[in-house]
Structure formats: C-alpha cells, structure tokens
Amino acid sequence: MSVILQTEIPYDVTAEKPLPGVAPLGEASWLHLDEAYAAQLARKAELLAERRADVVALDAGALPAAQELLRMVVRELIERHGFSDEGDSVARPDGRAVALNFEDPLGTLAQLVQEDFCILQKQGDEHVLTGALLCFQASWTLAEKFMRPLVRIHKPVESYDTNIAKRVQRLFDGVRAGRPVWRFNALHYADAELFHPRTEDAPREDDHREQRFLRSERQVIIRLPETDAVVFSIHTYLTNVHSD
C-alpha cells in the first residue's frame, strides 16, 4: 500500500453545506498543485501501467471533449502554474517534459496533474459519464459508472434522492463556460491507499476499523466551450488525523 499524504487541506472541511453544496470558483485556479504532486503522479503512472482498464475509460464520441480538456488543462498550467510550452510537449516545474499525445488525452493528463477527471455529455434529459481518468477512486468503480447517467452514477448514495437528482441535473445544465463552480466532501478511511475501488454491493470494510485518515476531494465542475461537455475534476487530499 502506498502512503501519500498532504500536511493540510486548504479549506475548512467542517463547513458542510446541503447537497449539492456548490459555490462559484471565482478567480481561483481550477487546478491545484501541492506537496504531494510528485508522489501522486508516480502513483498514477503505476496504476496506468498495471491497471489501465480500471482507471481510464473513454467512449469514441467523447474523444473530442477529452482533447479539448487536455488543451484547457495545458493552457491553465502554463498560464498559472509555472509549466513551460515546449511545442509538442510541456515541461513540468520539476523539469520533466511530457509529450502531448492527443490520441491518448486522458493518459497524458495523468502525467500532468493530480486531478482526476470525469467527462459528462448530455444525452436526452441527463448527462452521461462518457469518459474518465479515475486513479484515486473513493469507494466506487469506473466500470459500474461508465456510460451511465447521473442518477445511476450516484447509486447507492442514500442522500441522492429525486429532489437532489433534479438539482444536480439543473446544475450540470446551467454551468457556463468560463464560470466553474466547486464543492468538497470529507470522508474517513482506515488506510491511506488513494486507489480505493469498491463495488456498489460490497460492504465498506473501514466501518469496523480505526478511521485515522481524512480524505477530501476538491471537486470542480466546468463546461468545455467547444464541445459543450461538462467536466467534473477531482483533486484528492489525504491527511492523517492522528499524530503518531
């Protein structure tokens, strides 16, 4: 098991809000880089090499959206996070050059940022998960959610009732390009493994163990202006709530 921790979470996780609990992101960057950057990207590289089918999925129809997402991420990294444009590659602040492979946009993103990404596209009345880079799964599996609509994705979340489902769908319909919104959650776990898949019917093993790690996801919802897809980005923070 890999243990990759941050020293702190840069927002107050006790400030809970009713679902969906979103707020305008304002002038803040929708991407975060923190002290766990190198370690989290190394863990992503391991997962892509060993379990790619578990952490990457992309419908053919979502490839243009994934490519647009990669372009948007690269632009944000260069403009606001000290990355350098090297033409067909991008130089990270640690000096490593990452080739921009637009035939594998999600795999390329895994080499650039700590965030995971879910791509959702409107099909009928609902947004459907048509692509995802999901290395740091918090008790769910990509296979069960891929190509499913929002309501089905949130099975078996008890608090995700019909009223919440309608509010979330209105949120995804209403988010505007250039005006992202964000939210966070707070979860307690017994171990520090970031890759934490769990099927919908499996019991949570942590329920009977000391939950010493606090896991929080900074989640940003952003619309891609060209393809009109909605992206749900996830930056995972993990801290030890007990001093050793």
Side-chain angles (χ1 to χ4, degrees):
M1 179 186 70
S2 59
V3 178
I4 302 170
L5 303 177
Q6 283 98 340
T7 56
E8 63 180 2
I9 299 171
Y11 44 81
D12 182 7
V13 296
T14 66
E16 297 184 12
K17 299 179 181 179
L19 289 174
V22 298
L25 187 60
E27 297 302 317
S29 176
W30 63 291
L31 303 174
H32 268 193
L33 277 71
D34 59 50
E35 71 271 28
Y37 178 83
Q40 284 197 357
L41 264 65
R43 182 64 179 131
K44 283 191 171 187
E46 293 174 354
L47 291 167
L48 261 71
E50 300 169 3
R51 307 188 61 161
R52 183 182 173 98
D54 294 324
V55 299
V56 175
L58 185 63
D59 180 66
L63 178 59
Q67 293 169 332
E68 182 184 3
L69 172 61
L70 176 55
R71 292 193 299 272
M72 184 178 290
V73 167
V74 168
R75 183 167 60 249
E76 182 80 358
L77 293 175
I78 291 171
E79 292 177 354
R80 304 188 65 168
H81 293 285
F83 286 62
S84 300
D85 184 355
E86 304 290 340
D88 293 334
S89 65
V90 173
R92 302 185 333 196
D94 60 8
R96 179 184 170 186
V98 176
L100 298 179
N101 182 357
F102 284 91
E103 295 306 310
D104 182 21
L106 298 181
T108 303
L109 285 166
Q111 302 174 63
L112 291 171
V113 289
Q114 292 169 254
E115 278 79 7
D116 283 331
F117 299 100
C118 295
I119 298 171
L120 297 107
Q121 296 174 292
K122 192 75 175 286
Q123 296 184 4
D125 294 330
E126 291 188 90
H127 279 80
V128 173
L129 180 65
T130 56
L133 167 67
L134 190 69
C135 292
F136 303 150
Q137 306 180 8
S139 298
W140 57 289
T141 63
L142 181 53
E144 289 182 324
K145 312 299 185 182
F146 183 55
M147 298 305 294
R148 303 287 189 171
L150 279 171
V151 170
R152 180 61 182 79
I153 288 171
H154 285 88
K155 179 187 176 182
V157 180
E158 293 182 3
S159 59
Y160 200 87
D161 57 20
T162 302
N163 178 53
I164 294 298
K166 290 180 179 179
R167 291 170 61 188
V168 172
Q169 184 56 57
R170 285 198 298 268
L171 168 65
F172 274 67
D173 286 338
V175 65
R176 296 171 60 184
R179 296 189 178 182
V181 297
W182 80 288
R183 67 180 303 276
F184 66 85
N185 60 17
L187 309 166
H188 288 86
Y189 281 83
D191 66 64
E193 176 55 65
L194 288 167
F195 177 67
H196 203 287
R198 181 167 66 97
T199 60
E200 294 172 350
D201 297 327
R204 177 167 172 166
E205 297 177 355
D206 282 1
D207 288 345
H208 303 292
R209 300 161 61 196
E210 181 185 11
Q211 297 178 359
R212 59 179 298 188
F213 297 99
L214 174 62
R215 178 174 181 147
S216 181
E217 298 174 332
R218 178 185 186 257
Q219 304 167 345
V220 177
I221 302 171
I222 190 167
R223 185 175 296 281
L224 303 180
E226 297 174 14
T227 58
D228 203 42
V230 174
V231 171
F232 186 83
S233 73
I234 306 165
H235 186 111
T236 300
Y237 289 93
L238 192 67
T239 60
N240 191 337
V241 296
H242 298 295
S243 58
D244 294 325

